[in-house]
């Protein structure tokens, strides 16, 4: 009974002895000893690494036939790969690879989840979500309802090019035969003068400046009094004299005598805002950087409903227009709306009756509604034949049978107004006659007081 057990033990001991005495095992144990010593020097936590490695190796050999664990598989892979790479690698590379393997095993052990591995993970976000979000944003892009039709009508109304901006705008005020830097400077000065000023006043000021030499050097040599006389009567001319002198000096010092070629550089100049900067980039440098929004563009855009919500300042209108208006229309829209605002869509009492957009404009006839006369209720008709003929009911009965109810009502109101107008002079005559009678009575009373008393009156007073 004990003989088979003893033979089995002898077999297992011989098997283990052969495994332990094999060259692969001795070399791997030596390498693992060196790795363990290195790790022990680097960290005090890794004490007893050789013992644990040996025990894990022994456990791996014992459970060779059973299903290996994850950590044991990693150790066996590191041990089995190391001898095979010995001939291809140097001892330093082998040591570093072994050290990296040991550190990797430790990091994996530290990063192991504390919860049960059976717990399902959360689903990852799909990459297509960003594309779908971009498509939804494109679909939700806001645009005015009838803006293309309204724009075509505005072009038709501006086809004659007879507005003041067409004759005396910033594009017509500079000298086309001057050098490029002088043309650029004249465009900027015309834009600075046009603020809060009508185009014909700006055109006259630019003509006088050009006659005295409108360039950077000429303006720097000119005194403030002379410059003020030349640009008068533009709006805020004293402030503009100061801004023109400061801007010209800055152009000479920092930009070499020519205006900046960027919006940021132009807005650094005193007295230059976003509208002037974008228009200067378009006219002087032939670059479309944004929409030039002045008071006309600001007013008309809000009247037509071209902004998602009502804007308070021209800068808010510019941002609202640039969000939906195609870029190829940015240069044209200022010229179209400025001339349209000067001729048809006026600031006060716009000519909505002659505008082609009166049926699609949300603000049509709102600023200049039709005035309605108030009519008093009709007086009851008397028994006289004249009252019967003048009564509005008789006039309605005399209309043809096919007349509509609205026409009948309007006719009745007109007749009532006519009767009131006819009765008005008679009332004035009556008032005048009443005043005359009162004056006559007063005159008689005064005359009686001035006359001497008669004989009868003296007798009556004596009797009393």
């Amino acid at each position: 009974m004990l003989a088979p057990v003893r033979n089995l033990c002898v077999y297992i001991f011989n098997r283990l002895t052969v495994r332990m005495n094999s060259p692969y095992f001795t070399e791997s144990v030596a390498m693992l000893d060196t790795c363990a010593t290195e790790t022990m020097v680097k960290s005090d936590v890794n004490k007893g690494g050789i013992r644990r490695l040996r025990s894990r190796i022994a456990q791996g050999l014992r459970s060779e036939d059973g299903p290996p664990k994850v950590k044991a598989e990693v150790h066996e892979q590191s041990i089995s790969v190391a001898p095979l790479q010995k001939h291809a690698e140097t001892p330093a590379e082998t040591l570093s690879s072994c050290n990296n393997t040991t550190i990797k095993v430790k990091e994996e052990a530290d990063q192991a989840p504390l919860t049960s591995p059976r717990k399902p993970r959360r689903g990852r976000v799909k990459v297509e979500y960003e594309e779908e979000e971009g498509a939804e944003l494109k679909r939700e892009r806001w645009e005015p309802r009838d803006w293309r039709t309204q724009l075509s009508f505005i072009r038709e109304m501006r086809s004659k090019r007879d507005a003041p901006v067409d004759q005396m705008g910033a594009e017509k005020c500079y000298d086309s035969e001057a050098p490029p830097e002088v043309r650029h400077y004249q465009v900027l000065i015309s834009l600075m003068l046009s603020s809060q000023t009508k185009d014909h006043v700006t055109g006259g000021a630019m003509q006088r400046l050009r006659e005295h030499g409108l360039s950077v050097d000429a303006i720097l040599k000119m005194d403030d009094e002379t410059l003020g006389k030349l640009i008068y009567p533009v709006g805020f001319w004293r402030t503009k004299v100061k801004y023109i002198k400061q801007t010209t000096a800055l152009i000479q010092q920092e930009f070499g005598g020519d205006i900046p070629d960027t919006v940021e550089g132009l807005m650094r100049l005193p007295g230059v805002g976003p509208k002037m900067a974008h228009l200067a980039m378009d006219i002087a440098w032939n670059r479309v950087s944004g929409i030039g929004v002045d008071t006309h563009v600001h007013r008309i855009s809000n009247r037509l409903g071209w902004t998602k919500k009502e804007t308070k300042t021209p800068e808010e209108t510019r941002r609202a227009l640039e969000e939906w208006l195609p870029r190829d229309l940015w240069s044209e829209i200022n010229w179209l709306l400025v001339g349209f605002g000067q001729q048809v869509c006026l600031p006060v009492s716009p000519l909505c009756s002659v505008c082609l957009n009166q049926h699609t404009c949300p603000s049509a006839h709102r600023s200049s509604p039709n005035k309605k006369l108030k009519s008093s209720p009709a007086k009851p008709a008397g028994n006289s034949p004249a009252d019967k003929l003048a009564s509005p009911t008789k006039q309605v009965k005399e209309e043809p049978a096919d007349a509509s109810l609205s026409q009948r009502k309007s006719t009745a109101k007109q007749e009532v107004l006519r009767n009131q107008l006819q009765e008005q002079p008679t009332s004035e005559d009556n008032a005048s006659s009443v005043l005359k009678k009162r004056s006559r009575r007063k005159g008689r009373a005064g005359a009686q007081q001035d006359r001497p008393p008669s004989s009868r009156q003296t007798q009556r007073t004596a009797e009393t």
Side-chain angles (χ1 to χ4, degrees):
M1 195 69 189
L2 296 174
V5 176
R6 185 171 57 82
N7 295 333
L8 181 60
C9 294
V10 171
Y11 174 75
I12 292 172
F13 180 77
N14 293 333
R15 185 72 175 176
L16 291 173
T17 303
V18 172
R19 290 276 184 120
M20 296 291 286
N21 294 330
S22 62
Y24 295 103
F25 183 78
T26 55
E27 292 177 0
S28 61
V29 170
M31 292 178 184
L32 290 173
D33 291 338
T34 55
C35 294
T37 53
E38 292 291 334
T39 53
M40 289 174 65
V41 172
K42 292 180 180 180
S43 176
D44 296 336
V45 180
N46 197 17
K47 293 181 179 180
I50 300 174
R51 297 177 182 176
R52 282 181 292 196
L53 289 175
R54 287 180 178 177
S55 62
R56 291 174 183 175
I57 292 170
Q59 291 177 1
L61 293 176
R62 293 175 183 175
S63 60
E64 184 177 2
D65 298 332
K69 297 182 180 179
V70 177
K71 293 184 179 180
E73 185 177 358
V74 173
H75 283 291
E76 288 181 359
Q77 184 178 2
S78 62
I79 294 169
S80 60
V81 171
L84 296 176
Q85 295 180 351
K86 180 180 179 180
H87 299 286
E89 298 178 354
T90 58
E93 295 177 354
T94 306
L95 182 61
S96 63
S97 62
C98 182
N99 193 7
N100 293 335
T101 305
T102 308
I103 295 171
K104 182 178 179 181
V105 172
K106 181 181 179 182
E107 290 177 356
E108 289 180 356
D110 295 337
Q111 295 177 0
L114 299 176
T115 58
S116 176
R118 296 179 182 179
K119 186 177 181 180
R121 292 185 177 181
R122 295 181 180 178
R124 295 182 180 179
V125 180
K126 295 183 180 180
V127 182
E128 292 81 8
Y129 178 76
E130 297 179 358
E131 298 179 356
E132 293 177 358
E133 185 178 1
E136 290 178 0
L137 291 176
K138 290 181 180 179
R139 286 195 299 270
E140 293 178 356
R141 182 182 178 183
W142 181 85
E143 286 186 359
R145 183 176 180 182
D146 300 321
W147 73 272
R148 296 185 184 276
T149 305
Q150 294 169 351
L151 184 62
S152 64
F153 283 149
I154 293 174
R155 285 173 177 167
E156 183 178 351
M157 288 183 283
R158 294 278 289 113
S159 59
K160 295 181 180 180
R161 295 175 179 267
D162 54 354
V165 69
D166 301 324
Q167 307 298 329
M168 294 166 285
E171 297 179 350
K172 306 293 182 180
C173 292
Y174 65 89
D175 186 6
S176 59
E177 297 180 358
E181 59 274 8
V182 177
R183 293 201 306 267
H184 299 165
Y185 178 72
Q186 291 180 0
V187 169
L188 181 62
I189 296 299
S190 66
L191 291 171
M192 294 178 68
L193 295 177
S194 65
S195 177
Q196 303 293 327
T197 308
K198 294 184 178 181
D199 288 334
H200 67 275
V201 179
T202 304
M206 286 296 296
Q207 185 177 0
R208 292 189 295 271
L209 287 173
R210 286 172 57 186
E211 290 175 356
H212 286 73
L214 183 55
S215 62
V216 175
D217 297 332
I219 295 297
L220 290 176
K221 294 177 182 178
M222 191 180 300
D223 57 338
D224 295 352
E225 185 178 358
T226 304
L227 181 59
K229 291 180 180 179
L230 292 176
I231 68 173
Y232 182 83
V234 298
F236 306 98
W237 62 275
R238 291 186 178 88
T239 305
K240 290 179 181 179
V241 167
K242 180 179 66 174
Y243 285 157
I244 289 173
K245 297 288 285 187
Q246 294 176 357
T247 297
T248 306
L250 194 62
I251 289 173
Q252 182 69 26
Q253 295 173 3
E254 296 190 10
F255 300 100
D258 199 354
I259 66 173
D261 58 351
T262 59
V263 176
E264 293 78 9
L266 289 168
M267 291 183 65
R268 286 179 55 194
L269 302 176
V272 179
K275 180 203 77 171
M276 301 180 192
H278 291 302
L279 291 177
M281 289 294 296
D282 186 14
I283 300 171
W285 296 106
N286 198 18
R287 301 176 190 171
V288 180
S289 59
I291 301 175
V293 179
D294 62 350
T295 179
H296 296 287
V297 181
H298 172 64
R299 179 181 69 255
I300 297 170
S301 298
N302 282 275
R303 284 182 178 177
L304 292 174
W306 284 9
T307 56
K308 195 171 183 180
K309 59 181 181 179
E310 186 179 358
T311 56
K312 302 298 182 181
T313 61
E315 185 63 18
E316 293 180 4
T317 305
R318 181 186 67 84
R319 297 194 192 98
L321 291 176
E322 290 179 357
E323 287 181 359
W324 64 267
L325 190 67
R327 194 177 181 86
D328 55 350
L329 299 176
W330 288 8
S331 177
E332 182 187 10
I333 198 67
N334 178 270
W335 167 76
L336 284 174
L337 295 186
V338 169
F340 179 63
Q342 291 175 346
Q343 290 181 315
V344 181
C345 197
L346 304 176
V348 181
S349 299
L351 307 178
C352 298
S353 58
V354 299
C355 180
L356 300 178
N357 290 322
Q358 60 177 319
H359 301 293
T360 58
C361 178
S363 304
H365 305 287
R366 187 179 298 176
S367 300
S368 57
N370 297 328
K371 295 182 179 179
K372 297 181 180 180
L373 296 175
K374 296 182 179 180
S375 60
S376 58
K379 296 180 180 180
N383 298 325
S384 63
D387 294 336
K388 291 180 181 180
L389 292 175
S391 62
T393 56
K394 292 292 183 180
Q395 297 293 334
V396 174
K397 291 180 180 179
E398 291 176 359
E399 292 181 354
D402 56 349
S404 61
L405 183 61
S406 61
Q407 292 178 354
R408 293 178 182 178
K409 290 181 179 180
S410 62
T411 307
K413 290 180 180 180
Q414 291 176 3
E415 291 299 329
V416 171
L417 292 175
R418 288 176 185 173
N419 296 334
Q420 291 178 358
L421 292 175
Q422 290 176 0
E423 293 174 358
Q424 189 172 4
T426 58
S427 62
E428 291 179 356
D429 295 339
N430 295 331
S432 62
S433 62
V434 170
L435 292 174
K436 288 180 181 179
K437 290 180 180 180
R438 289 180 180 177
S439 62
R440 288 175 183 175
R441 291 175 182 174
K442 289 181 181 179
R444 292 175 182 176
Q448 290 178 0
Q449 291 177 1
D450 295 336
R451 290 177 183 177
S454 60
S455 59
R456 292 181 179 180
Q457 289 178 351
T458 54
Q459 292 178 0
R460 291 176 181 176
T461 54
E463 290 178 357
T464 57

